[in-house]
Structure formats: C-alpha cells, structure tokens
Amino acid sequence: MMKADLVFINGNILTCDDRFSVARSMAIRNGRILAISSDNLNGLAPGPGAIIDLDGRCVLPGMVDGYSHVIYSGLDLLPSGGKLNITALRSIEDILDAVRADAATRKPGEWISTSCMYRGGLKEGRWPDRHDLDKAAPDNPVHLMQGGRPIIANTLALELAGIGGNTPDPTDPAGRIVRDSEGRPTGQLLGGAADLARVRWGRAAGLRPEEFDFVNLGEKEFVAAIEAQQKIFHACGVTATRDVATTRAEVPAYVIARRAGRLKLRTQLFIVIPEKFMRSEAEYAELYDSFFEPWSMGDASLSVGGAAVDYSLDGWKMTDAASWKRHILEANRRGWRLAVTPGVGGEQEVDETLAALEEADRERPIYDRHFPMMHPTGLRRLDQMERAGKLGLNLNPNPMLNYYAAERSVKMFEQVRRTGLIQSTAKTGLEQAINVWGMTPRSWMKQGLHVSAGSNTPAAVYDPEKPLVGLYAFATGDTLAGVLVKEEAPTRRQALEVYTRDGAEALGFLDQYGSLEEGKLADFAVYDTDLLNCPDEDLKNAKVLSTYFQGEEVFRR
C-alpha cells in the first residue's frame, strides 16, 4: 500500500459509519483517508515525524452546522469595518457602552449597525429603547438587530425611515411599531414594521431591502467575515455548513474565497427569496426570471443547494398564505430545492406549509430532493410527522439557539408579551418556551424522519470554550430554562450522527464527508472527552483540541 502523509495512532476514533465503528488508527494521504483500522497503521507513515499519537483521545468527523449565516456571523467578529458585536452583552448598560464607543469612531450621520442581541434575558428585564440609544449615539442612526427580523432603532434612524407617532402599523405584512403610553414609538419595530424601515433605509442607500443589514459593507468585508467565522467553526469542530437565506450580494464572496484558497469550510448556500418584500408581479418576475439555472450546482467544497423562504418569524407572518403557497409551487415547478421555515413553534404554520408542499409534490415529486424544514419545533403531532415523512423532508432544528432563547421567553416574558415580540397565546414564560423552543427529536426519529441540526448563528453564537452546547442541548433537551419536553432526548449515538453523517447526508455529500471511512475527505476534530460515553455535563464542557480540514490542521488549542 502507498505511504500516507500522516498517521494517527492510539485513538478513540468514532467513525460514524453506518455501523458506528470505533477505530484505533487512521492514515491520511492527499487530504483523504487512506486507511482506518482497529490496528495501528504505523507502517504506512513515511517516517516517525508523520505519526501523531492520540493517546486515547476521541476523534469525531467534522461536524456539520445545518443552519448558519456565515457572513452575518463573521461580520460581528471583524476588529474593524464590520458590524458592532453585541451578541454576548447581557445588560443595557453594556450595550450602550459598546454603541457609544463605536459612535466615537464614526462621522456624524454614519450608520451604526449591530449584530443580533443576546438571545437570553437582559439584566434589566427590558430592552433598550430609542432614548437609551440616543444618549449613546445622538448623531448617528443606530440599527440594533433584536433577531433576524425585529429592530430597535434610535430617533435619528426612525426619522430616516419616516416613522413617527402618526405612522400606522403596517398590515401587509402585519407588524407593530411599539409605542409608549403616550403613543410615541419606543424604537422597537416588529414584523412588517421592521420590513418597512429596511425598505425605506435601503431605498435611500441604493440597496435591496434584504441587504440593508450590510449597509457600508462589501466583498472585502464579506471575504474577511467568511474567514473569521470559519476560524470559530474550526475551534468548535465544525468543518461544513449550510448557509441559509444567503443574499445575492454575498454569493461572489464565497467564490472569491474559494478561488483564493481561503475557503476551508464546506459550504452549501440556499439563496434567499425575500418574500416579505415581494408584493407586485414585477417583483415576482424579477426574482424568478433572474436566478440562474440549473439551480443546484457545485461540489463538496462550495455548492448552491437551492432557495430559502420563510413564512413566519416569532409569529409575525412574512407573507400571506396565498403568496406562501405560490412561492413553494413556483420554486418546485422550476426544479429548485427549497428550504422552508414555517415559523418557530408555529403549529398552524406547519400545517399550512405541509399542505402547500403536498400540492407541489402532486405537480412535481419532491421526496427524493429532501427539502429542509428549518426551525421545525411546531411539527409535533403524529399526523404532521407522517405527512412530513411522505414528503421526504429533512428536519433541521437549531438546538444551540433553543438552549439560549428559552431563557428569554421565561425571564423576559412580560416584556415579550407586552411588546408582542413573539405572537403567542401562552399564559406563562415556561409555556411560551415550551411552545416555541421545545424539540421532539425522539418522536421525529421514531417516525423515520431525516434529522440534521444547526445553530442559526449569529442568532446564537459559538463559544470555543463550550463548543458543544448545541450537541448537548440536542442530546439532552436541556436549555437555560431547563428541559422543556420530557422523554424526547435521542440516544448519544443518534445525537452524534445528527451532527455528522446525517448533516452531510442532508447537504447531499455523505459520499464525501460526514463519516471517517477510506476514500472520504479527512475532515475531523480531536476532543479531550469521550463524546460517546461521557456524562451529559462533560459533553457540555468538552473542548476541541485540534481540527483537521482535508488533512490539514486548521486549529490547535
């Protein structure tokens, strides 16, 4: 047999093959696995310097994050030229200090655009308002992202959007301009109100509304953001991802990064259909007639997997039911694979989505294309699971987001209820957390459904000191508000497979990565903990010691 470039010996190598074999040694050549065995493969090494003794440490295939926003996340990490990073700030005071410091570096009138806020509870039990932000940045418009859609804006930003006390709440799509006791806007814009602001801000800046969150940013910053986020992924054992709702402006940056040899993260893009901004026939034609064909293209390094469309977020509809069905039918007629988000925790939205997919399936079968359903927590009834199975859907929850966001529902329930941040009939914070963030993976798997998992980063962010919070949350059902749905935890083996081989299968590349087998790409990470057999708490605190991408070490602790 030919010689290897590297040989790893004395390991606890969880191959995640179809038998979940555990190997002891693995040989790498030209970025792929040359051999893997329960015996040591020292003889394949070209010399002693090419042998790495794992000393019993655990090896797992590179994890697949099934739902991320890579550039959005990376822009929060840039030391300059990106977005103001407030994702880990847990108090209004800290947020205002960060905005104040950022304003000091900008010219008057220049936008301050932030990352998503921390998804747990803030110390003060409320959110900042325009008056708070005015004190920190009186001369700059501030656009604070409360999540993927809702916004908190200061007075100057509201004025630029033409939103004041007499502005009615939008109805298409529905939204809310949150107001104080005297009817004046607080700065919090929900649902269609946030869309209205983006449309008006984008028009003034010469940007599509779905791209306004990238104001003052371009390809240079996007490529830097990809590299910044992939470093975090590597530190957390992630070597592949599905980037969902990618804007057209972002796509060239991935191509540039790949051509320059800077993309070391297997990435599949699902291009966003900006449903909440589409109302006219001209907008439909501009979208559907301008996207390239064939729709799915690329390889294991970089690919376009399809399009992404959202129906609801936090209970605020992106579009009406007729338009939602139209998007699904039209995309399927063109042969596109579609990532659908019915709405986090929305049982009715899941029913309407399944009905639209069933109609699409009758026109052009979708089973073998395994459409991803993102945030599927609303899919909890047996009849829904049976329908999803007949359609061949891939369910993709985001356990890391659920882990943190459940705390906001509990600790800030009165704020959530009063402002309408989440449209819910729940009477308590715990009831809301269960309805919105509770997962039922054991039931999904019992019904034979395809399941992968993601993070929705930057809605929730990876911490290299606790890289497996998402895996822990999926394996146990635990959150910062406790276990939300009892008796729904999968086995440890199932959890590990969901984040590795099942994730690769969901992206269509299980033949290339997702398990450690001869001929496959050498993407894997070394851990300080036995991930298969350790207690649950140890799983949450496990560390990545090193990560390899195509046989190259890309991270070392």
Side-chain angles (χ1 to χ4, degrees):
M1 182 177 283
M2 63 184 69
K3 292 292 186 180
D5 299 320
L6 287 174
V7 175
F8 296 80
I9 63 171
N10 299 325
N12 174 26
I13 302 173
L14 308 180
T15 67
C16 293
D17 62 12
D18 56 7
R19 295 176 291 111
F20 209 82
S21 306
V22 178
R24 187 183 180 197
S25 184
M26 181 169 60
I28 310 300
R29 178 180 172 85
N30 293 335
R32 292 186 177 269
I33 298 171
L34 176 65
I36 189 162
S37 175
S38 57
D39 299 320
N40 276 338
L41 299 170
N42 306 54
L44 296 180
I51 296 175
I52 297 176
D53 190 341
L54 294 167
D55 194 23
R57 293 184 178 89
C58 184
V59 175
L60 188 72
M63 290 199 296
V64 181
D65 186 319
Y67 189 166
S68 73
H69 306 288
V70 175
I71 288 177
Y72 264 104
S73 302
L75 288 171
D76 299 342
L77 302 171
L78 301 184
S80 62
K83 295 168 75 73
L84 175 61
N85 190 355
I86 62 170
T87 51
L89 304 184
R90 303 190 181 196
S91 73
I92 293 174
E93 181 182 2
D94 289 343
I95 291 171
L96 297 183
D97 284 345
V99 171
R100 189 176 295 109
D102 192 73
T105 69
R106 299 185 183 274
K107 299 176 182 178
E110 188 177 350
W111 276 94
I112 297 174
S113 181
T114 77
S115 67
C116 289
M117 291 175 59
Y118 174 61
R119 291 306 288 258
L122 295 181
K123 184 177 74 174
E124 293 85 353
R126 68 175 182 89
W127 292 292
D129 59 25
R130 66 183 175 94
H131 303 296
D132 296 318
L133 297 174
D134 289 346
K135 293 174 185 177
D139 301 318
N140 299 84
V142 179
H143 162 230
L144 188 155
M145 293 182 65
Q146 204 169 8
R149 193 182 184 193
I151 292 169
I152 300 176
N154 69 349
T155 299
L156 183 53
L158 290 176
E159 291 173 351
L160 291 172
I163 294 176
N166 296 323
T167 307
D169 287 344
T171 58
D172 185 23
R176 179 176 297 172
I177 301 168
V178 180
R179 305 170 197 269
D180 62 22
S181 58
E182 298 181 11
R184 296 172 299 195
T186 66
Q188 190 176 19
L189 305 175
L190 307 178
D195 302 340
L196 175 65
R198 285 186 173 95
V199 168
R200 293 178 175 178
W201 292 335
R203 186 181 300 136
L207 297 170
R208 293 187 181 98
E210 67 269 22
E211 295 170 1
F212 180 76
D213 293 338
F214 297 140
V215 63
N216 299 327
L217 300 168
E219 284 182 2
K220 177 182 177 182
E221 291 81 12
F222 292 169
V223 173
I226 291 168
E227 291 187 283
Q229 180 57 31
Q230 76 181 10
K231 286 181 181 178
I232 297 296
F233 275 142
H234 292 161
C236 297
V238 177
T239 56
T241 191
R242 177 166 52 197
D243 188 293
V244 181
T246 317
T247 66
R248 283 172 278 182
E250 295 172 83
V251 175
Y254 287 100
V255 177
I256 291 168
R258 179 183 176 173
R259 287 175 176 169
R262 296 160 68 179
L263 183 63
K264 297 182 180 181
L265 174 71
R266 306 199 187 284
T267 307
Q268 184 168 90
L269 310 178
F270 273 74
I271 312 300
V272 67
I273 293 176
E275 67 294 306
K276 55 185 174 290
F277 302 116
M278 296 174 62
R279 291 296 176 271
S280 71
E281 289 300 318
E283 288 168 326
Y284 270 88
E286 191 274 335
L287 175 85
Y288 285 109
D289 294 340
S290 65
F291 278 15
F292 49 82
E293 303 263 359
W295 186 246
S296 297
M297 60 179 64
D299 58 22
S301 174
L302 178 63
S303 63
V304 174
V309 62
D310 291 1
Y311 189 20
S312 174
L313 182 63
D314 300 327
W316 292 99
K317 294 285 181 66
M318 304 283 199
T319 189
D320 58 52
S323 297
W324 176 241
K325 184 169 75 170
R326 179 178 177 178
H327 282 302
I328 291 173
L329 294 176
E330 185 66 29
N332 187 52
R333 287 167 186 154
R334 293 167 181 263
W336 299 357
R337 188 172 177 227
L338 202 59
V340 295
T341 302
V344 185
E347 192 170 317
Q348 179 182 339
E349 288 90 340
V350 168
D351 285 333
E352 293 176 13
T353 300
L354 290 172
L357 288 168
E358 286 164 343
E359 184 172 338
D361 183 60
R362 288 191 290 271
E363 290 187 1
R364 182 172 185 165
I366 68 174
Y367 182 88
D368 290 334
R369 284 179 283 157
H370 300 302
F371 284 18
M373 178 179 281
M374 321 308 288
H375 293 297
T377 51
L379 195 150
R380 51 178 68 95
R381 301 193 319 264
L382 179 60
D383 66 292
Q384 292 176 325
M385 297 180 200
E386 291 174 346
R387 294 167 71 190
K390 291 177 182 177
L391 291 166
L393 301 186
N394 160 234
L395 305 187
N396 195 103
N398 298 295
M400 187 166 75
L401 173 62
N402 297 24
Y403 179 82
Y404 291 107
E407 181 190 48
R408 177 189 281 184
S409 289
V410 172
K411 288 190 174 181
M412 299 186 71
F413 176 68
E414 284 305 315
Q415 275 282 303
V416 171
R417 183 190 58 79
R418 184 179 61 80
T419 62
L421 178 66
I422 295 177
Q423 295 288 284
S424 169
T425 59
K427 301 296 190 295
T428 68
L430 181 58
E431 181 185 356
Q432 184 181 85
I434 292 170
N435 290 345
V436 177
W437 305 112
M439 294 182 297
T440 55
R442 179 180 290 182
S443 295
W444 295 336
M445 292 177 180
K446 185 178 180 181
Q447 295 304 314
L449 294 171
H450 302 266
V451 181
S452 57
S455 64
N456 200 17
T457 181
V461 294
Y462 281 89
D463 178 358
E465 295 306 308
K466 289 182 177 293
L468 301 185
V469 165
L471 175 62
Y472 165 80
F474 186 81
T476 64
D478 196 18
T479 72
L480 288 178
V483 176
L484 300 179
V485 186
K486 307 297 184 184
E487 306 300 327
E488 278 292 342
T491 67
R492 182 67 61 82
R493 171 179 169 174
Q494 286 174 324
L496 292 170
E497 288 176 332
V498 159
Y499 274 87
T500 54
R501 65 176 293 116
D502 295 345
E505 184 176 27
L507 272 61
F509 291 108
L510 182 56
D511 62 329
Q512 296 293 313
Y513 58 85
S515 63
L516 300 176
E517 302 178 71
E518 289 183 15
K520 287 195 174 183
L521 292 161
D523 300 346
F524 58 93
V526 182
Y527 293 84
D528 66 352
T529 302
D530 180 353
L531 303 183
L532 181 61
N533 299 302
C534 70
D536 290 340
E537 283 300 310
D538 289 354
L539 186 67
K540 183 168 63 174
N541 295 305
K543 301 287 192 299
V544 176
L545 300 177
S546 57
T547 300
Y548 289 78
F549 179 82
Q550 207 158 315
E552 174 192 356
E553 186 180 70
V554 290
F555 169 77
R556 175 176 288 273
R557 177 171 289 277

